[in-house]
Amino acid sequence: MATYARQDVSFVQGEGAWLEDDRGQRYLDALGGIAVCGLGHAHPAVAEAVARQARTLVHTSNLYRIPLQEALGERLCRASDMERVFFANSGAEANEAALKLARLHGHRRGIRRPRIVVMEEAFHGRTLMTLSATGSAKARAGFEPLVDGFVRVPWNDVAALEALADEPDIVAVLVEPIQGEGGVRIPDTGYLSAIRELCDRQGWLMLCDEIQTGVGRTGYWLASEHDNIRPDVVSLAKALGNGVPIGACLARGEAAEVLGPGTHGSTFGGNPLACAASHAVLNVIEREQLIQRAGQLGARLREGLHDRLSGHPAGVTEIRGRGLMLAVEMNTPCAELVSHALNGGLLINVTAGNVIRLLPPLTLTDDEAEQLIERLDAALRAWHHVNAEEQA
Ligand SMILES: *Cc1c(COP(=O)(O)O)cnc(C)c1O
């Protein structure tokens, strides 16, 4: 079904930050399959782990113990300062678990119609419940009746949240520490800690959607670490398997004890194949210190983009980001930039209409970072040239 407006290009193989199409053209991938391929394409350690596990044991179901899953759960809890994990196969499913958990938590406290606070411009997935939590009215349109029980407030607005303090039946706040699809929006310092304090004061759960920001992308294992806060529930997916589908909903404290036998489940979730891939991802991240690398290279790349692109005739208004989650904001809608970049051998994404989003692999070399800047500059010039001609 035509659920995506696709670019007319077919990639047939990849290596690191590079993809090759069916005509032998090479592209520098500054999108990484939408924040998924943190280790780049066809990483040998992941390929080897998946191949070995496929020859050993792919799936048994969650009716039996899965040692690789238990060990992965322990690693993720240690990295995230959490206590328990539910394994799923995608981001939407990880959030779905977080939202169900919050509702059940409410019911156990005698709240019959629990409500969850969500943000404008948020993106949480495409299943009916995660879509209902998503901010975009356009994405929600046509799927009514949506799942109710959400209260939507403006993003990055502490006062709007404080105004909800006396509302009955609220059980949780769901927030992305940096809005990804919403345009790589970084909240003001203090916003996330204000949510944390409000949740503590009201007895609400703080749910952090770290599906795009987690697994080292922003220079910390979790982006919420930038603000020194510890959520009650964290959802992860995207980069967790470097392309092998896996999602995880992590929880601590009371939240960790909510879901029990019969309350939730997944046939595939946390199967040996997906867990083997994820172990390999974590091994490489640790061995090559890629989280520190994301922080350092990200800062340098941001600086390089700034030097090269600020004051650009194409109309660059802001360059921002954390680690290797970067954005170049334009003063006009710029969706056509994607095909100009593609023609110049660069894969980028435009989100929120006028925000160029860069999510390159954490393994990007210094030289590739330079090439990224070069190619982006060239794409901006080509796009600007066409626009100028159209106006003339
Ligand atoms: C991608 C994303 C999701 C949805 O993940 P899927 O794997 O596509 O279901 C949810 N939340 C955020 C913040 C995301 O970036």
Side-chain angles (χ1 to χ4, degrees):
M1 298 186 192
T3 54
Y4 283 82
R6 291 189 162 131
Q7 297 289 320
D8 186 20
V9 60
S10 309
F11 302 116
V12 292
Q13 62 177 26
E15 189 184 357
W18 297 89
L19 283 169
E20 193 179 313
D21 72 12
D22 52 1
R23 297 170 310 158
Q25 294 284 353
R26 275 162 57 83
Y27 303 80
L28 180 59
D29 187 0
L31 184 60
I34 321 180
V36 167
C37 302
L39 309 186
H41 298 285
H43 193 285
V46 180
E48 181 53 36
V50 169
R52 195 181 327 120
Q53 194 58 43
R55 284 192 298 265
T56 309
L57 185 65
V58 170
H59 179 88
T60 54
S61 90
N62 282 300
L63 300 176
Y64 311 100
R65 289 182 64 173
I66 303 172
L68 280 169
Q69 183 192 108
E70 292 174 13
L72 182 64
E74 273 170 30
R75 284 179 93 170
L76 294 180
C77 283
R78 214 176 312 126
S80 316
D81 209 358
M82 293 278 143
E83 291 160 19
R84 287 184 185 276
V85 189
F86 172 82
F87 282 103
N89 314 287
S90 67
E93 286 172 86
N95 279 340
E96 189 84 18
L99 294 167
K100 280 185 68 178
L101 183 164
R103 276 200 175 178
L104 190 56
H105 177 69
H107 280 278
R108 298 243 167 99
R109 298 171 139 210
I111 298 172
R112 292 180 54 198
R113 298 190 60 82
R115 297 191 296 162
I116 297 165
V117 181
V118 292
M119 308 304 161
E120 289 176 4
E121 280 95 47
F123 182 79
H124 298 299
R126 298 285 196 162
T127 62
L128 196 53
M129 192 167 191
T130 58
L131 177 68
S132 303
T134 286
S136 161
K138 209 174 111 204
R140 293 197 309 267
F143 298 101
E144 303 83 358
L146 296 167
V147 178
D148 69 7
F150 291 104
V151 185
R152 190 163 284 112
V153 295
W155 156 253
N156 200 19
D157 185 340
V158 177
L161 279 163
E162 287 288 347
L164 296 175
D166 296 325
E167 290 272 323
D169 300 341
I170 291 177
V171 293
V173 177
L174 173 62
V175 64
E176 294 158 89
I178 299 173
Q179 287 192 331
E181 305 305 303
V184 190
R185 310 233 171 258
I186 304 170
D188 295 339
T189 309
Y191 177 62
L192 294 173
S193 42
I195 297 179
R196 178 69 274 176
E197 277 167 32
L198 183 64
C199 286
D200 287 340
R201 191 156 22 98
Q202 302 294 128
W204 303 343
L205 296 177
M206 182 173 182
L207 321 176
C208 262
D209 180 344
E210 295 249 15
I211 288 163
Q212 189 161 152
T213 52
V215 195
R217 167 66 46 192
T218 69
Y220 284 95
W221 169 253
L222 299 178
S224 40
E225 292 172 50
H226 286 279
D227 297 78
N228 247 316
I229 56 126
R230 233 176 126 211
D232 300 291
V233 177
V234 170
S235 30
L236 297 175
K238 292 205 163 87
L240 199 51
N242 209 51
V244 176
I246 181 168
C249 172
L250 295 89
R252 68 178 177 95
E254 263 186 275
E257 308 305 325
V258 175
L259 295 178
T263 57
H264 199 42
S266 168
T267 300
F268 291 138
N271 83 11
L273 188 73
C275 290
S278 194
H279 276 292
V281 168
L282 300 185
N283 291 344
V284 175
I285 287 178
E286 284 168 17
R287 195 175 63 224
E288 297 179 11
Q289 305 195 336
L290 291 179
I291 300 179
Q292 295 88 318
R293 171 77 184 156
Q296 287 158 6
L297 182 63
R300 282 217 303 283
L301 192 50
R302 199 164 64 237
E303 230 169 81
L305 287 165
H306 215 275
D307 291 348
R308 188 66 171 260
L309 304 182
S310 40
H312 200 286
V316 171
T317 53
E318 194 185 22
I319 290 153
R320 60 173 175 267
R322 275 190 172 148
L324 287 170
M325 183 172 188
L326 295 159
V328 178
E329 185 160 329
M330 307 299 294
N331 65 9
T332 50
C334 60
E336 304 84 35
L337 246 173
V338 171
S339 38
H340 287 284
L342 186 75
N343 290 337
L346 176 68
L347 305 185
I348 56 166
N349 170 254
V350 168
T351 188
N354 64 331
V355 178
I356 304 165
R357 179 171 48 162
L358 305 171
L359 300 160
L362 278 47
T363 52
L364 197 76
T365 65
D366 293 352
D367 178 56
E368 287 163 345
E370 278 305 312
Q371 291 190 58
L372 194 169
I373 296 170
E374 292 274 327
R375 291 181 185 206
L376 184 57
D377 183 13
L380 281 165
R381 278 185 278 118
W383 173 71
H384 178 61
H385 186 69
V386 171
N387 281 355
E389 283 198 336
E390 276 171 5
Q391 268 160 29

